[in-house]
Amino acid sequence: MIMQGSDLVGSWLVSRSQFLSMEGSTCSHATGGLTKTRLMGRWRWSSTQVRLCPLRNVEAADIGKIYKLRIGHDGKGIGDGWFLESVTLKWMVMKVKEMDKKKKKKKKKKKKSSEEEEEDSQPEEVMEVCKFVAHRWLATDEGDKELVVELIPEDGSELEENTYEVHVITGNVWGAGTDANVFLNIYGEGGGDTGERQLKRSNQLNKFEKGQEDIFTIKAIDLGVLKKLRIRHDNSSSNPAWFLDRVEIVDLKNNTRYYFPCQRWLAGEEDDGQIARELVPVDEAFIRKDSDNGNQSLASLGLEQKAKSTTYTVKVKTGDKKNSGTDANVFIILYGNKDDTGIINLKASKTNKNKFERGKVDEFTVESVDIGDLKKIKIGHDNKGGSAGWFLEWVEIDAPSLGQCLKFPCGRWLDKSEDDGATERDLFPAELQTKEYVPFVPYEITVYTSDIFGAGTDADVFIVLYGSNGICSQQKSLCQNKREQRMCFERNSVDQFIVELEDVGDTIEKIRVGHKGGGLNSGWHLDRVEIRRLLPNGKGSETITFPCQRWLAKSEDDGEIVRELVPSDIFTEKLLKDGTLKQIEQEVEEPLEIHTYKITVFTGNIYGAGTDANVFLTIYGDLGDTGERKLSKSETNSNKFERAQEDKFTIQAVDLGIIYKIKIRHDNTMLNADWYLEKVEILDETTEELYLFLCERWLSTKKEDKRIERTLYEQSYDGERNSLGGSSLSLKSQDRNANVKNKKKLSLNGSAQEGSLIPYHLIITTGTEYDSSTESRVYIIITGPQKVQTGRMWLDLLKEKKQFADGSVEKFSVMGLDVGEIKKLELGHDGATPESSWLVEELTLIVPTKGVMYTFVCKCWLARDRGDGLTSRVFNILDADCVNIGHKILYEVTVVTGDIQNAGTDTSVYMTLFGSSGNTEEMRLEKNGERFERGQEDTFIMEIADIAPLRKMRIRTDGKGTRPDWFLEKIIMKNLSNQEVTTFTYSEWLSKLRNAKGALVCEIPAVINEEQMMENTTYTVQVKTSDIGGAGTDANVSLIMFGENGDSGTLALKESNKSNKFERNQMDVFNFPDTLSLGDLCKVRVWHDNKGVAPGWHLEYIEVKDATLDKTFRFQCDRWLAKGEDDGQLIRELACANNDILELKERTSYEIVTVTSDTEDAETKENIWIILEGKKGRSKEFLLENASKKRKFTRGATDKFLFSSKNVGDIAAICVGHCPKDGRKSTTKTDVYWYVREIIITEMELCNKYFFKCNAKIPLRNKRGDYKVFECVKVIESFASKARSLVPVKYEVIVVTGSEKGAGTDANVFITIFGINGDSGKRALKQKFRNLFERGKTNRFFLETLELGELKKVRIEHNNSGIATGWLVERVEITNSATGVTTIFPCGKWLDRNRGDGLTWRELFPRY
């Protein structure tokens, strides 16, 4: 690049600094701050400003054809004047050399080889030259005194120079003028701009004074139609603050005037603290509304400016490191896909007086005009100040008008002596941290304060807008700081605010305006409020007037400081095609009425029920809400909210429609803040409707659930109760992580698909290495066959937890798409900085509906700066340790609490279900804050073992809490897989005081299709103590009976026919009337508590008589239950002697049921054969013949067959074949199939059922060797089969304690073993004079119980007693001494309240 001037080349090297920028047609890469614009139908790019030195090569981005050049200098130095003659640009480009025409003709005649073609098309480097003639001065004392000039190429250009006359009008408010240096940049729609020009030479001697118009002239290459301008000052001098009214620009070439209204401060201490504004032009018709009357008053056009610009809220987080804060001046540039904001100095923080201090978040406001989608930001500082180094954590930019909040992670130093020494960074948005919401719209709110004595206020004034159907905006304070509060809302003043709020729709039904009562002069008399908003097409606006003319003061009028206002008039302005404004004024038809609501608050009649705290109430109706109102003046009592007192209040509000809920709270102030609220009644005086809201709960930080806020629903309300923390819980709302609010979030190959939702449970263990924790948001994606995915499911921690802490174990439950057989699992987080590193130790996925648990031993980093740098990782399911945990069914459970006084409870509620295929463990019904309250129906989802059909339910409460009594009406259970509904009706108290028997436990029979599944009976239990020395006991004895309908629960043997129970050779008789019949009994479990003087007991037998069945069941014992006798056990399981009657025969019968698929071509006319494979051997071939008259195996048919055979034992698999009738060969050319869906086989002697899910096509074959094998997927074992296998067995239990430091425990350890025949009951693992469960030790125990069958799991726990209670269990091994089979249950987890998940129990599953 060569420059030519009138002086010698080197003469100006040290006297001043020159710069140059160019604009061209194309650019291969939009980097380095390039700005993409459009000019005369072509794309044009401008380079960055480049500083020049004489005869020096300068590197710049390739901008294609050059249209213009801007060159200038900064005017500094001794001899700053410069006469520029011309500028010559030379640059090298790669071009393909063109051949001569003669050569081309010759080449056409000859056939080219590929090498010759490549040689011809080789590009070569060519020099391009472009000259710009200036021949003018760039000096403050010569020519036009400009230091910047724009030039066009000498060889011609489509552009011409133009002159713009700039009129800058300073506002007429106090202190509006400025002494700072002002700069202006004008942008055209064609894409060009003038560059930033300082406004120096005005027609006024003293520029930018209050109410003054300053005129400047700017010469530049023609910009076409003007799009926007950027005006700023440098905040220099003693009075830099400036209130700019507007800028008018006259295009002298076209004689066109553009109006750029501003009417805002450019000041660090005023408004939003910005000293730069981007302004867009508006139509002249809006500027001069009253021109017809000769009154040239300027209209307020801030709303139009706001609508055309974007307001960004910029939050900057300084890191929490030593010396991380900075005193330097920080700047930011926002880059969109259309434009950038230029440098914006972050001066006025809204949150902190001292900006950018360690660990602080500073908030700033930035405005810009149409930069497009935000792609990146540049943030940095000038390295000035005492402590310039800065550690930046992140930047968050929220654009309400776009409905988007972006986070730009950094996590690096901006410091010349730290990191890479850079003081500015380019940051890009983290995709996973992007939040999207419904965009906000701008409203212009004009507040008129009345002209009466004391009308003004210094309080914080707020407003809420309400649209139709109860849609409302957030509560918004009109003043941004206390200084504005002091200046606004003075007597007879008009204050205007432009705010962005949620779009409440086309109609504003009402507004709520009020203040917070602070300040010396908080009382306020409001005349009216006007709200203006733009019409949908932007061609006009609508102004709605809300008259008030009342006090908002505690000491005036009715003492209210909040008013609800309804509209009276609507004034509409529309811009017509001819450029004129059409104005329409009309009254609002049928506005909402103001209703008076009488509130009666009933305080309970229990000790300490009253409160001295301040009480607040919000009423919700289908048309909106009242907002929070303080219940300050009771109309009935001077001392409010005292015990057994009724307090009445009056609230005026716009018609709420049908009231359905209230929110009531107190502020926990004063000495006696605790409050027991009985109920609230609300009377709408206009409609005379009375609404009742029952509470009967404490609002206290010390009692019950320690909450001081309650959401109460109207007594007869039957809609969804979403605010009750899960009281109305469906499959979609079950997930506390809120992952499946919309099914569109689910993805199938990246697209949204409908599908069934199932629960997934996850357990994530964080590592214990340094810096293992993360505050990032974690997600999981589960993938099935054909890339079916759940979509990204976020795993959000509870509010009280801030991070995945080192060594922590976090548990989550999410609802996601059922992807079928799981293939992969992706775990990741949204962290994008080095500070967000996370070490994952272990990941467990539990799928209850499939009965499997996958455990991944991860031990991997998810971090940008560790390991492989990935923040997400995909795990193959084949790498997981898979365990079968038992198939679960989803039930919708509805608990109905009675509608009688004090029916609600805060006690713990437990449920056990009994079905035809067994029973569940005891499950806790979580209260979740608001469940189990008076008159309430609480619905939630539970995972229940597959034991249907249900027979009975056992409900137990622990009798603890401030309200231990509970009136249970009924429980309804809906099986979501087959939609079967089972009802359990109780209608009685569970209470020690209110229940006639003092019962905290009840058993309720199931009712299905109006049929009760169990009958009531009376059990007579006879207990015979043996006739040997010391056989009697003084201990308390308990009994559980087990039968085909479940168990009886614990029965305390207290009321005997003998005054002194369980004496030697004595028969004690106990009666248990009104008990649900268990059917045939199979065993009993009997034990005592080892208390009393002589607790040892020798039991001979127990006999149980069922009055309904008229059967007696005998259970022989003849053993000690004593620590010092026999094997030292205090618990015995006794098998029923009646079981011995059943003896299995060698031969039996099998019923075979086949279900043919309901698909097309599923049926067959041929025969089917089946062979059973059991534990005792293989059956013969069973031929399932297809009769010609009565056809079998038709589409969708269920067919039964009965065969006699030897008993093969438990059936493990079946072989199924398809053969021609009568043994003839198949003559069909095409393959013939039988599509079988399911086969069910029942062994008729014991009635055990075996299920085989086939869903397969069986081909027709002549040879018997061609068949398909199906394994048994489900077995329903009959009661008779289970009963006959109940024989006493000794189990050897080996417990291995881990070898880590502190692994041993001093606590008492217990174990429960679960098998297919039931469980062992909770057994203590003790040995005399032994120090058990020490670090690295193995302890052996022997437990005797009835045969449990195949072991499914064990539960091991301790009672947390002793000095060192924490315990690391390595594994548990259990050996059946009868069969010699050993089952290993690995653990490797702590049972410690202070480690991991804090549990002192574990459920362990076998590994085979």
Side-chain angles (χ1 to χ4, degrees):
M1 181 163 52
I2 300 173
M3 296 187 184
Q4 294 181 348
S6 58
D7 298 328
L8 291 175
V9 170
S11 63
W12 41 267
L13 176 61
V14 295
S15 63
R16 56 197 160 272
S17 176
Q18 288 78 18
F19 62 84
L20 171 140
S21 64
M22 298 165 284
E23 292 191 1
S25 59
T26 60
C27 183
S28 58
H29 298 285
T31 58
L34 299 183
T35 306
K36 185 178 180 182
T37 53
R38 189 173 179 79
L39 180 62
M40 295 183 182
R42 303 183 189 177
W43 286 106
R44 191 171 71 184
W45 296 82
S46 61
S47 72
T48 52
Q49 185 170 291
V50 180
R51 287 194 178 275
L52 300 180
C53 294
L55 294 175
R56 180 178 176 182
N57 292 332
V58 177
E59 288 188 359
D62 181 8
I63 59 173
K65 184 179 179 181
I66 298 174
Y67 287 100
K68 77 174 183 180
L69 175 146
R70 183 182 305 126
I71 189 167
H73 64 82
D74 58 8
K76 295 179 181 179
I78 299 171
D80 61 336
W82 179 33
F83 188 88
L84 173 64
E85 181 64 35
S86 66
V87 179
T88 302
L89 303 180
K90 295 182 179 180
W91 68 98
M92 304 302 293
V93 295
M94 301 298 291
K95 284 189 175 180
V96 178
K97 188 177 178 182
E98 291 189 7
M99 294 182 294
D100 294 340
K101 291 182 180 178
K102 291 180 179 179
K103 288 183 178 181
K104 280 186 179 179
K105 289 178 180 178
K106 288 180 181 179
K107 291 283 182 182
K108 283 180 182 177
K109 294 177 182 178
K110 296 180 181 179
K111 193 175 181 181
K112 289 184 181 180
S113 67
S114 58
E115 289 182 5
E116 286 176 334
E117 284 182 354
E118 282 181 16
E119 207 172 291
D120 291 341
S121 61
Q122 284 290 334
E124 63 179 11
E125 209 169 29
V126 179
M127 177 176 282
E128 293 275 348
V129 180
C130 188
K131 187 175 182 180
F132 299 83
V133 177
H135 193 71
R136 58 160 291 164
W137 282 96
L138 276 74
T140 55
D141 54 355
E142 298 284 351
D144 59 5
K145 301 178 182 179
E146 290 291 336
L147 302 180
V148 179
V149 65
E150 290 191 347
L151 307 175
I152 57 177
E154 187 182 38
D155 57 355
S157 172
E158 300 170 351
L159 303 177
E160 298 178 356
E161 189 177 61
N162 196 356
T163 302
Y164 296 95
E165 189 176 86
V166 179
H167 299 249
V168 180
I169 296 92
T170 300
N172 201 24
V173 301
W174 184 85
T178 183
D179 298 327
N181 298 311
V182 177
F183 301 85
L184 177 73
N185 193 356
I186 308 170
Y187 297 82
E189 284 189 358
D193 65 81
T194 61
E196 190 171 78
R197 310 286 184 95
Q198 185 176 349
L199 301 181
K200 285 186 175 181
R201 284 168 298 285
S202 167
N203 62 324
Q204 305 287 347
L205 183 63
N206 194 6
K207 305 187 296 292
F208 312 122
E209 291 301 305
K210 175 183 174 183
Q212 183 172 291
E213 181 176 349
D214 294 277
I215 303 175
F216 306 87
T217 301
I218 292 178
K219 290 185 178 181
I221 301 301
D222 187 25
L223 299 171
V225 179
L226 301 190
K227 180 178 72 171
K228 69 175 181 177
L229 64 83
R230 178 178 172 81
I231 190 165
R232 73 172 182 91
H233 64 75
D234 60 4
N235 210 39
S236 61
S237 79
S238 56
N239 298 304
W242 184 32
F243 188 88
L244 174 62
D245 188 82
R246 70 188 185 277
V247 177
E248 296 179 8
I249 299 178
V250 181
D251 182 338
L252 296 181
K253 178 184 175 184
N254 300 321
N255 196 25
T256 306
R257 182 179 289 263
Y258 297 88
Y259 298 89
F260 296 85
C262 180
Q263 298 175 336
R264 295 186 71 177
W265 284 97
L266 283 78
E269 297 77 27
E270 302 284 353
D271 203 342
D272 58 4
Q274 290 299 306
I275 59 173
R277 300 279 176 208
E278 285 193 354
L279 308 178
V280 293
V282 298
D283 198 281
E284 185 179 4
F286 291 114
I287 293 284
R288 308 294 181 189
K289 291 184 181 180
D290 302 322
S291 58
D292 294 340
N293 302 326
N295 181 8
Q296 300 294 310
S297 63
L298 185 72
S300 170
L301 292 168
L303 182 63
E304 283 75 8
Q305 286 285 343
K306 191 78 169 179
K308 292 183 179 181
S309 65
T310 303
T311 301
Y312 299 95
T313 300
V314 180
K315 292 182 179 179
V316 181
K317 171 70 183 295
T318 300
D320 191 13
K321 292 178 178 286
K322 187 178 180 181
N323 300 322
S324 57
T326 184
D327 299 326
N329 298 309
V330 176
F331 67 86
I332 192 170
I333 305 173
L334 277 56
Y335 293 91
N337 59 353
K338 295 182 181 178
D339 204 347
D340 64 73
T341 60
I343 294 175
I344 298 170
N345 294 306
L346 301 180
K347 288 185 174 291
S349 172
K350 291 183 178 180
T351 51
N352 299 297
K353 189 174 181 181
N354 195 7
K355 307 184 296 290
F356 310 120
E357 291 301 304
R358 175 177 175 176
K360 299 292 184 182
V361 177
D362 293 283
E363 186 176 318
F364 306 88
T365 299
V366 172
E367 288 189 353
S368 180
V369 176
D370 193 25
I371 65 170
D373 295 333
L374 195 56
K375 296 299 182 183
K376 75 168 184 175
I377 65 170
K378 177 176 284 186
I379 189 165
H381 61 77
D382 59 5
N383 204 43
K384 294 180 179 179
S387 177
W390 185 33
F391 188 88
L392 174 61
E393 188 73 43
W394 48 256
V395 178
E396 184 180 272
I397 299 181
D398 187 13
S401 62
L402 304 177
Q404 192 176 59
C405 182
L406 302 175
K407 202 160 195 176
F408 297 80
C410 180
R412 296 185 69 180
W413 285 97
L414 284 77
D415 189 346
K416 287 198 171 182
S417 60
E418 298 279 355
D419 206 335
D420 58 359
T423 58
E424 58 183 51
R425 301 271 178 211
D426 284 339
L427 307 179
F428 297 87
E431 182 184 351
L432 294 180
Q433 297 185 44
T434 299
K435 301 173 188 173
E436 294 186 346
Y437 52 91
V438 178
F440 284 25
V441 294
Y443 295 90
E444 181 186 272
I445 299 172
T446 308
V447 180
Y448 295 81
T449 302
S450 304
D451 187 15
I452 63 175
F453 177 76
T457 183
D458 296 331
D460 184 9
V461 175
F462 61 82
I463 194 167
V464 182
L465 311 185
Y466 281 81
S468 55
N469 300 321
I471 299 171
C472 69
S473 71
Q474 61 182 312
Q475 182 173 296
K476 179 76 173 180
S477 292
L478 296 180
C479 295
Q480 296 194 28
N481 50 53
K482 290 186 177 180
R483 186 177 182 278
E484 285 190 24
Q485 291 176 27
R486 291 193 297 270
M487 294 178 64
C488 297
F489 312 118
E490 295 299 303
R491 174 179 174 177
N492 198 30
S493 67
V494 179
D495 300 288
Q496 193 175 86
F497 308 89
I498 298 171
V499 296
E500 287 182 325
L501 293 169
E502 294 89 342
D503 188 355
V504 297
D506 296 334
T507 305
I508 301 179
E509 298 277 5
K510 70 173 182 178
I511 66 170
R512 182 184 308 120
V513 63
H515 61 78
K516 298 179 181 178
L520 295 174
N521 304 303
S522 62
W524 183 36
H525 197 280
L526 174 62
D527 183 70
R528 69 186 185 276
V529 177
E530 291 180 356
I531 297 180
R532 188 168 76 94
R533 60 181 178 179
L534 297 179
L535 297 176
N537 57 8
K539 300 292 185 180
S541 64
E542 180 182 78
T543 304
I544 309 167
T545 303
F546 295 85
C548 180
Q549 297 175 345
R550 291 189 70 177
W551 282 99
L552 285 80
K554 294 178 181 178
S555 57
E556 301 284 351
D557 205 336
D558 58 0
E560 291 291 330
I561 59 173
V562 176
R563 298 283 177 207
E564 291 198 345
L565 312 178
V566 293
S568 61
D569 303 293
I570 298 178
F571 179 71
T572 307
E573 294 178 313
K574 291 184 179 178
L575 182 65
L576 303 180
K577 291 182 179 179
D578 60 2
T580 60
L581 277 179
K582 181 180 180 182
Q583 299 179 340
I584 305 169
E585 188 170 359
Q586 60 185 16
E587 290 187 4
V588 176
E589 296 181 1
E590 298 182 0
L592 294 175
E593 298 177 351
I594 301 292
H595 283 208
T596 300
Y597 296 95
K598 292 289 185 180
I599 318 295
T600 306
V601 179
F602 296 80
T603 301
N605 188 19
I606 62 176
Y607 177 75
T611 185
D612 297 326
N614 297 310
V615 175
F616 301 87
L617 176 71
T618 308
I619 308 172
Y620 296 86
D622 58 357
L623 297 181
D625 62 80
T626 61
E628 189 172 79
R629 306 289 185 94
K630 182 179 178 181
L631 301 182
S632 52
K633 292 183 180 179
S634 173
E635 298 170 6
T636 51
N637 301 290
S638 58
N639 193 6
K640 309 184 296 291
F641 311 122
E642 292 301 305
R643 175 177 175 177
Q645 191 168 284
E646 296 180 21
D647 292 284
K648 295 191 175 183
F649 306 87
T650 300
I651 289 179
Q652 284 192 335
V654 174
D655 184 14
L656 298 172
I658 299 173
I659 298 173
Y660 66 94
K661 77 171 179 179
I662 64 171
K663 187 179 288 182
I664 191 164
R665 73 172 182 92
H666 65 73
D667 58 6
N668 204 43
T669 56
M670 310 297 286
L671 290 175
N672 301 308
D674 301 342
W675 185 32
Y676 186 86
L677 174 61
E678 186 175 325
K679 62 182 177 181
V680 177
E681 289 181 354
I682 299 178
L683 175 65
D684 184 340
E685 288 195 333
T686 307
T687 62
E688 296 184 351
E689 287 282 339
L690 181 67
Y691 302 93
L692 176 62
F693 300 86
L694 299 171
C695 182
E696 297 177 353
R697 301 190 70 179
W698 284 97
L699 282 76
S700 168
T701 57
K702 304 170 187 172
K703 299 181 180 181
E704 209 174 316
D705 58 359
K706 299 178 174 59
R707 290 172 57 185
I708 57 173
E709 181 181 294
R710 300 281 176 207
T711 300
L712 309 176
Y713 281 81
E714 208 278 328
Q715 189 180 25
S716 59
Y717 178 71
D718 57 0
E720 286 197 10
R721 304 188 177 199
N722 294 329
S723 63
L724 294 185
S727 187
S728 179
L729 202 57
S730 65
L731 270 174
K732 290 183 182 177
S733 60
Q734 173 84 357
D735 179 4
R736 69 172 169 87
N737 299 284
N739 284 309
V740 195
K741 287 184 177 177
N742 189 343
K743 281 190 178 180
K744 290 182 180 178
K745 292 185 180 180
L746 306 175
S747 65
L748 177 61
N749 290 331
S751 61
Q753 296 287 333
E754 295 288 333
S756 60
L757 303 179
I758 62 171
Y760 295 95
H761 303 307
L762 294 119
I763 305 171
I764 300 177
T765 304
T766 301
T768 55
E769 292 183 23
Y770 173 74
D771 210 21
S772 295
S773 63
T774 185
E775 294 182 2
S776 301
R777 201 175 176 208
V778 173
Y779 69 86
I780 192 166
I781 301 173
I782 299 171
T783 305
Q786 285 81 50
K787 297 183 180 178
V788 179
Q789 290 187 337
T790 59
R792 184 174 282 110
M793 299 185 292
W794 293 100
L795 307 179
D796 292 328
L797 292 166
L798 296 172
K799 288 182 180 180
E800 58 267 21
K801 293 188 177 182
K802 302 298 182 185
Q803 63 178 355
F804 288 83
D806 296 352
S808 67
V809 178
E810 304 296 345
K811 298 180 180 181
F812 304 92
S813 294
V814 295
M815 299 299 297
L817 180 71
D818 184 357
V819 299
E821 184 184 356
I822 297 174
K823 298 295 184 182
K824 294 179 182 178
L825 182 149
E826 180 181 341
L827 178 70
H829 63 79
D830 65 0
T833 67
E835 305 295 311
S836 59
S837 58
W838 184 33
L839 177 60
V840 183
E841 186 74 22
E842 187 179 88
L843 170 64
T844 300
L845 172 65
I846 302 170
V847 192
T849 56
K850 302 185 186 304
V852 291
M853 176 173 72
Y854 304 100
T855 301
F856 299 87
V857 179
C858 310
K859 294 185 178 178
C860 58
W861 285 96
L862 300 180
R864 296 264 185 211
D865 61 339
R866 299 196 183 221
D868 54 9
L870 298 176
T871 57
S872 67
R873 202 169 299 279
V874 177
F875 299 96
N876 193 308
I877 209 70
L878 297 176
D879 298 329
D881 187 6
C882 180
V883 177
N884 187 354
I885 60 171
H887 179 64
K888 300 287 180 71
I889 301 293
L890 295 181
Y891 278 83
E892 184 181 82
V893 182
T894 302
V895 180
V896 183
T897 301
D899 188 12
I900 63 175
Q901 190 172 10
N902 299 315
T905 185
D906 64 343
T907 192
S908 297
V909 180
Y910 301 88
M911 177 177 77
T912 308
L913 286 168
F914 297 84
S916 61
S917 301
N919 62 275
T920 67
E921 296 177 48
E922 189 174 69
M923 301 169 288
R924 182 174 179 177
L925 304 184
E926 297 293 340
K927 182 167 175 62
N928 280 4
E930 303 292 342
R931 290 181 187 162
F932 317 134
E933 293 302 318
R934 175 179 172 180
Q936 201 165 282
E937 293 186 8
D938 302 299
T939 301
F940 42 91
I941 302 298
M942 291 188 71
E943 299 151 10
I944 309 293
D946 187 8
I947 58 172
L950 302 179
R951 299 287 180 82
K952 72 170 180 177
M953 173 188 290
R954 181 179 300 135
I955 294 291
R956 178 179 73 85
T957 66
D958 64 4
K960 297 178 181 177
T962 55
R963 298 177 298 136
D965 306 331
W966 184 35
F967 191 93
L968 172 61
E969 187 65 42
K970 63 181 176 181
I971 297 178
I972 303 167
M973 301 198 65
K974 182 179 180 181
N975 187 323
L976 295 180
S977 60
N978 60 18
Q979 306 302 310
E980 184 179 74
V981 176
T982 308
T983 305
F984 302 86
T985 304
Y986 185 53
S987 300
E988 184 56 86
W989 287 96
L990 285 164
S991 168
K992 289 181 178 179
L993 301 175
R994 299 178 186 238
N995 186 290
K997 298 179 180 179
L1000 298 178
V1001 181
C1002 68
E1003 292 201 344
I1004 314 169
V1007 176
I1008 303 175
N1009 297 327
E1010 299 183 357
E1011 179 186 353
Q1012 184 169 311
M1013 304 302 291
M1014 292 179 67
E1015 296 179 348
N1016 279 31
T1017 189
T1018 295
Y1019 280 109
T1020 302
V1021 179
Q1022 299 183 75
V1023 181
K1024 176 66 188 303
T1025 303
S1026 302
D1027 187 15
I1028 63 175
T1033 183
D1034 299 324
N1036 299 307
V1037 178
S1038 300
L1039 176 76
I1040 300 177
M1041 299 181 290
F1042 296 84
E1044 57 184 325
N1045 293 333
D1047 66 70
S1048 64
T1050 301
L1051 303 175
L1053 302 183
K1054 287 185 176 180
E1055 298 178 5
S1056 168
N1057 60 331
K1058 308 287 185 181
S1059 58
N1060 195 6
K1061 305 185 295 290
F1062 311 120
E1063 291 301 305
R1064 175 178 173 177
N1065 199 29
Q1066 181 174 293
M1067 177 74 77
D1068 293 280
V1069 181
F1070 305 87
N1071 288 305
F1072 297 95
D1074 298 323
T1075 304
L1076 292 177
S1077 175
L1078 301 173
D1080 289 336
L1081 301 185
C1082 60
K1083 72 174 182 178
V1084 296
R1085 184 180 296 149
V1086 61
W1087 72 95
H1088 64 75
D1089 59 5
N1090 203 43
K1091 293 183 179 179
V1093 179
W1097 184 35
H1098 196 283
L1099 172 63
E1100 186 175 338
Y1101 65 85
I1102 296 175
E1103 280 190 350
V1104 180
K1105 183 177 181 181
D1106 185 330
T1108 302
L1109 296 178
D1110 194 22
K1111 279 187 178 181
T1112 300
F1113 304 90
R1114 185 182 177 93
F1115 303 89
Q1116 198 69 32
C1117 181
D1118 294 322
R1119 294 189 68 178
W1120 283 97
L1121 286 78
K1123 280 194 172 183
E1125 302 286 349
D1126 204 338
D1127 57 2
Q1129 291 196 143
L1130 304 178
I1131 184 170
R1132 298 286 177 200
E1133 283 196 350
L1134 312 177
C1136 183
N1138 307 41
N1139 299 338
D1140 299 335
I1141 300 170
L1142 184 63
E1143 290 185 6
L1144 288 181
K1145 299 175 182 177
E1146 285 294 322
R1147 296 191 64 80
T1148 186
S1149 297
Y1150 289 100
E1151 180 189 74
I1152 300 176
V1153 177
T1154 63
V1155 181
T1156 303
S1157 178
D1158 195 24
T1159 58
E1160 194 175 352
D1161 298 329
E1163 63 184 37
T1164 182
K1165 297 179 181 178
E1166 309 300 332
N1167 295 336
I1168 304 298
W1169 59 268
I1170 291 179
I1171 296 174
L1172 313 182
E1173 293 186 350
K1175 290 186 177 180
K1176 291 184 178 180
R1178 204 167 191 242
S1179 74
K1180 64 178 183 180
E1181 179 186 292
F1182 301 134
L1183 186 64
L1184 282 55
E1185 294 186 274
N1186 200 344
S1188 52
K1189 290 185 178 179
K1190 193 175 181 181
R1191 282 192 52 199
K1192 307 282 187 180
F1193 316 123
T1194 58
R1195 177 177 174 179
T1198 299
D1199 301 295
K1200 291 184 181 180
F1201 303 87
L1202 191 64
F1203 297 95
S1204 176
S1205 167
K1206 69 173 184 178
N1207 195 326
V1208 298
D1210 292 334
I1211 303 172
I1214 57 173
C1215 305
V1216 183
H1218 187 188
C1219 62
K1221 286 184 182 179
D1222 305 324
R1224 56 184 170 79
K1225 288 189 177 181
S1226 176
T1227 56
T1228 57
K1229 293 183 180 180
T1230 58
D1231 286 340
V1232 177
Y1233 294 94
W1234 174 51
Y1235 198 151
V1236 58
R1237 191 172 70 193
E1238 185 180 33
I1239 295 176
I1240 305 166
I1241 299 176
T1242 306
E1243 191 276 309
M1244 301 305 290
E1245 188 172 2
L1246 293 177
C1247 296
N1248 290 334
K1249 283 192 175 183
Y1250 303 87
F1251 293 81
F1252 300 86
K1253 298 288 183 184
C1254 305
N1255 290 320
K1257 291 181 178 180
I1258 312 297
L1260 181 66
R1261 294 288 185 266
N1262 294 312
K1263 295 181 180 179
R1264 287 292 198 265
D1266 198 348
Y1267 56 84
K1268 289 199 173 183
V1269 179
F1270 302 101
E1271 292 184 354
C1272 181
V1273 295
K1274 180 181 175 182
V1275 179
I1276 297 180
E1277 189 177 6
S1278 67
F1279 175 74
S1281 176
K1282 289 180 181 179
R1284 64 175 297 276
S1285 64
L1286 293 177
V1287 294
V1289 171
K1290 273 196 174 184
Y1291 288 92
E1292 181 188 50
V1293 179
I1294 297 175
V1295 181
V1296 182
T1297 301
S1299 56
E1300 291 185 24
K1301 184 179 179 181
T1305 184
D1306 298 327
N1308 297 313
V1309 175
F1310 303 88
I1311 193 170
T1312 308
I1313 308 171
F1314 296 84
I1316 59 173
N1317 290 340
D1319 63 81
S1320 65
K1322 186 174 174 180
R1323 304 290 185 98
L1325 298 182
K1326 291 183 177 182
Q1327 288 179 2
K1328 284 185 178 181
F1329 312 117
R1330 290 285 304 276
N1331 195 7
L1332 303 172
F1333 313 116
E1334 291 301 302
R1335 172 182 172 185
K1337 299 295 183 182
T1338 299
N1339 301 106
R1340 182 179 278 101
F1341 307 88
F1342 290 93
L1343 303 178
E1344 185 181 292
T1345 183
L1346 295 180
E1347 171 70 63
L1348 295 171
E1350 183 184 348
L1351 300 187
K1352 295 297 184 183
K1353 69 176 180 179
V1354 300
R1355 179 186 173 102
I1356 191 149
E1357 59 192 297
H1358 65 75
N1359 62 359
N1360 205 46
S1361 63
I1363 300 172
T1365 58
W1367 185 30
L1368 177 61
V1369 181
E1370 188 67 34
R1371 67 182 182 276
V1372 176
E1373 298 178 7
I1374 299 177
T1375 302
N1376 184 324
S1377 59
T1379 62
V1381 174
T1382 299
T1383 309
I1384 300 174
F1385 299 86
C1387 180
K1389 297 277 198 292
W1390 285 91
L1391 283 70
D1392 191 346
R1393 288 189 178 175
N1394 300 317
R1395 294 181 192 245
D1397 55 7
L1399 295 178
T1400 58
W1401 58 270
R1402 298 284 170 199
E1403 285 190 345
L1404 310 180
F1405 296 90
R1407 302 291 197 273
Y1408 297 104

